[in-house]
Amino acid sequence: MQTFRISLSDGTRQFHTVIQAPDPASARIKTAYFFDISTWRILSVSLTGTSAVAA
């Protein structure tokens, strides 16, 4: 598992969270499951911390 930083926006506000997933596509799927993507648009998915060094 890797740790991904997810940036979301509702057009006015931005929100950042961290999700563990095996790859970026899985991180997007998990984000869509946990957040209402009709309101929150996924801006970016990026590796964080030591995961980025290990990749």
Side-chain angles (χ1 to χ4, degrees), residues 5-17 35-36 38-44:
R5 182 177 190 258
I6 313 293
S7 298
L8 304 118
S9 174
D10 68 354
T12 306
R13 302 167 291 173
Q14 284 193 0
F15 179 79
H16 307 282
T17 190
F35 294 93
D36 179 7
S38 66
T39 301
W40 291 97
R41 193 177 107 212
I42 300 171
L43 299 176
S44 66

Side-chain angles (χ1 to χ4, degrees), residues 1 4 6 19-32 45:
M1 287 293 216
F4 293 91
I6 313 293
I19 290 181
Q20 286 190 325
D23 55 59
S26 297
R28 283 185 175 273
I29 291 168
K30 279 187 167 187
T31 301
V45 176

